[in-house]
Amino acid sequence: QHNNDRNNIMHLQLHSRVDGLQSLQGNKVHVVFVDADHDYDSVLQDVRNVMSAFSSSLRFMLFDDYFSADGIRQVLADLVSEGAVRVSGGLGKPPPWSYEWMREDGS
């Protein structure tokens, strides 16, 4: 609704592991907003999938819950140290809360 006057913005809501990104590979995607699972392996898989699918056009990735999820921060720190990405900036402030994940077995 906020981009109705733009013809170059398309909002797609999909689950990258279920829907995949292959069907979008022929498009020039400049910005991806990643709002997914927060554990390290899930974030890393999502980032690598996005980078692979849109390597020729991708300019920015935005991450939801960066300040409240250790997995997201660690993936980005590792990718920065590898030279795979660089951090351009941030939006917002750290919330006064954080996530604590529990497994089904209670641990």
Side-chain angles (χ1 to χ4, degrees), residues 7-96:
N7 63 4
N8 64 340
I9 296 175
M10 181 185 307
H11 177 261
L12 299 173
Q13 185 172 348
L14 55 88
H15 191 295
S16 59
R17 281 185 238 140
V18 174
D19 302 312
L21 299 174
Q22 291 76 21
S23 63
L24 302 173
Q25 282 183 316
N27 296 287
K28 291 183 179 178
V29 175
H30 299 272
V31 179
V32 171
F33 179 74
V34 179
D35 182 7
D37 290 337
H38 299 98
D39 64 279
Y40 183 92
D41 292 332
S42 295
V43 175
L44 182 61
Q45 180 179 353
D46 286 340
V47 170
R48 293 218 187 270
N49 289 344
V50 165
M51 291 172 70
S52 174
F54 310 119
S55 61
S56 64
S57 61
L58 187 65
R59 294 182 185 168
F60 299 99
M61 282 188 285
L62 307 169
F63 294 88
D64 186 48
D65 296 329
Y66 173 84
F67 287 115
S68 58
D70 293 337
I72 298 168
R73 288 192 306 277
Q74 188 60 53
V75 166
L76 289 176
D78 290 351
L79 291 172
V80 166
S81 69
E82 293 172 13
V85 300
R86 69 181 172 84
V87 175
S88 295
L91 301 170
K93 298 177 182 178

